[in-house]
């Protein structure tokens, strides 16, 4: 994925993990356990895809998770899943926008 | 509760709001008629399933936002606090593109404050199957609020979803190149933080992970890592620990037939 390094270098990004939809790790950078994060992201995405199918709200584009210690944006990009981990003190919307813009380039 | 959920529904772009526990059991809802109790039950179970995996990396999650092509789902954690039963709840909003996220954020915080006050010291009741209308509460015992309470939601609307890790497409995962990539060298600490005694033990762990993936899907790697830490107790994993590992891993498989198949397949690795 050519956008991966660009996303990993975005301001406020502390780590990034790229996996396929089965959870197999493709690429990672930063202070993240890539294998665990890749599997967890894929499993979580599967759950929210199911939710979308039941609700009839179209395809899943991304999932953002925010907590006091961590924040991440998990974006679906073709057959891959990109997890971008950021500083939870920073607004997640800005990271979502930057990730989206980079993926659409 | 009805007033609280109705206030959320009154936000522009919100088509439904519901309260569930971390096992996906529905407690209250207020939604458009297309979102009936059966459908919301399925949704809350699927959300609970996804949150179970999120918690492996982020136990203290607070907000999850899922963005879809034609809508959005906001899920907020309602901490257990001093409430009886001690289990956390999740408040979810089903919204469309008209939703103003800032307004929704404020409204959700207000709602959570009210929910906390409302349920503190008062047990919640599960939503009854087939009940009509909105924010329906069935009279059940205080134990119903416990995370371990048996769900009274059920029937055809709930089929196919489990509160545990669903093995959908697991065979595909197991045959798609899943490998224990971090475990390549002898007595080394892998990128996954798991140490192995030798190459044979590494190969054994890889094969065991693939066997488990047939039952639980991509979470197999995560489960194996956790089990190795428990079974090996700080020592590098060796093949002699396989039987203990298999026994520990079996606990992650809900379906008894799948568990038996995993045990059988893993026995061949010894």
């Amino acid at each position: 994925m050519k956008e991966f390094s660009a996303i990993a270098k975005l301001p406020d990004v502390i780590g990034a993990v790229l996996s396929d939809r089965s959870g197999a790790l493709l690429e990672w950078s930063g202070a993240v356990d890539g294998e665990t994060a890749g599997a967890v992201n894929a499993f979580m995405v599967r759950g929210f895809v199911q939710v979308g199918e039941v609700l009839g709200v179209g395809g899943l584009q991304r999932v953002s998770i925010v907590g006091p210690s961590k924040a991440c944006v998990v974006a679906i990009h073709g057959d891959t899943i990109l997890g971008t981990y950021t500083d939870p003190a920073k607004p997640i919307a800005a990271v979502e926008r930057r990730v989206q813009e980079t993926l659409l380039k | 509760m009805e007033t609280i959920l109705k206030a959320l529904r009154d936000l522009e772009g919100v088509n439904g709001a519901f309260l569930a526990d971390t096992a996906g059991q529905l407690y209250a809802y207020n939604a458009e008629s297309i979102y009936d109790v059966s459908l919301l039950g399925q949704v809350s179970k699927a959300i609970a399933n996804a949150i179970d995996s999120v918690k492996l990396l982020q136990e203290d999650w607070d907000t999850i936002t899922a963005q879809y092509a034609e809508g959005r789902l906001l899920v907020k954690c309602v901490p257990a606090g001093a409430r009886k039963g001690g289990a956390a709840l999740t408040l979810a909003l089903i919204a469309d593109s008209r939703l103003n996220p800032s307004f929704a954020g404020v409204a959700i915080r207000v709602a959570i404050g009210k929910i906390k006050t409302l349920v503190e010291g008062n047990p919640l009741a599960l939503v009854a199957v087939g009940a009509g209308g909105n924010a329906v509460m069935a009279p059940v015992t205080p134990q119903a609020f416990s995370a371990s309470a048996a769900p009274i939601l059920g029937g055809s609307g709930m089929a196919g979803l489990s509160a545990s890790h669903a093995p959908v497409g697991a065979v595909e995962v197991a045959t798609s190149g899943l490998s224990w990539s971090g475990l390549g060298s002898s007595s080394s600490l892998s990128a996954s933080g798991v140490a192995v005694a030798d190459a044979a033990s590494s190969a054994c762990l890889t094969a065991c992970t693939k066997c488990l993936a047939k039952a639980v899907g991509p979470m197999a790697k995560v489960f194996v890592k956790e089990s190795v830490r428990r079974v090996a107790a700080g020592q590098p994993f060796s093949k002699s620990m396989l039987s203990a590992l298999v026994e520990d891993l079996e606990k992650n498989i809900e379906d008894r037939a799948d568990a038996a198949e995993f045990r059988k397949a893993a026995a061949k690795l010894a």
Side-chain angles (χ1 to χ4, degrees), chain A residues 20-23 25 28 33 35-37 39-44 46-52 54-72 85, chain B residues 35 39 42-43 46-47 49-50 53-54 56-58 60-71 73 94 161 165-166 168 173 176 181-182 191-192 216 218-219 221-222 225:
Chain A
D20 66 18
R21 283 183 181 253
S22 76
L25 180 64
W28 91 97
D33 178 350
E35 287 196 346
T36 302
V40 166
N41 290 346
F43 193 83
M44 179 198 65
R46 182 178 293 177
F48 281 110
V49 165
Q50 279 181 343
V51 170
V54 174
L55 290 176
V57 287
L60 179 66
Q61 297 173 335
R62 65 173 179 270
V63 180
S64 305
I65 305 151
V66 181
S69 65
K70 287 179 190 168
C72 81
Y85 298 81
Chain B
Y35 302 126
L39 184 143
Q42 289 185 55
V43 169
I47 291 173
N49 214 5
S53 60
V54 168
L56 289 170
L57 279 181
Q58 198 167 342
D60 62 348
W61 73 277
D62 176 70
T63 309
I64 299 176
T65 308
Q67 179 68 50
Y68 296 90
E70 295 159 28
L73 179 77
I94 305 161
L161 282 171
H165 306 290
V168 183
V173 171
S176 66
S181 57
S192 318
V216 302
M219 291 304 289
K221 271 188 173 182
V222 178
K225 261 192 260 186

Side-chain angles (χ1 to χ4, degrees), chain B residues 177-227:
Chain B
L178 175 69
S179 68
W180 202 260
S181 57
L183 304 173
S185 57
S186 298
S187 298
S188 65
L189 191 67
S190 73
S192 318
V194 177
V196 286
D198 50 40
S201 302
S202 173
C204 176
L205 210 51
T206 300
C208 188
T209 308
K210 286 185 178 178
C211 291
L212 183 65
K214 288 178 184 170
V216 302
M219 291 304 289
K221 271 188 173 182
V222 178
F223 292 149
V224 168
K225 261 192 260 186
E226 289 175 343
S227 282

Side-chain angles (χ1 to χ4, degrees), chain B residues 81-103:
Chain B
R83 203 171 49 243
K84 278 183 183 174
L89 298 170
T90 54
L91 175 65
L93 255 62
I94 305 161
D96 58 37
S97 57
R98 294 171 298 154
L99 181 77
N100 179 325
S102 305
F103 288 180

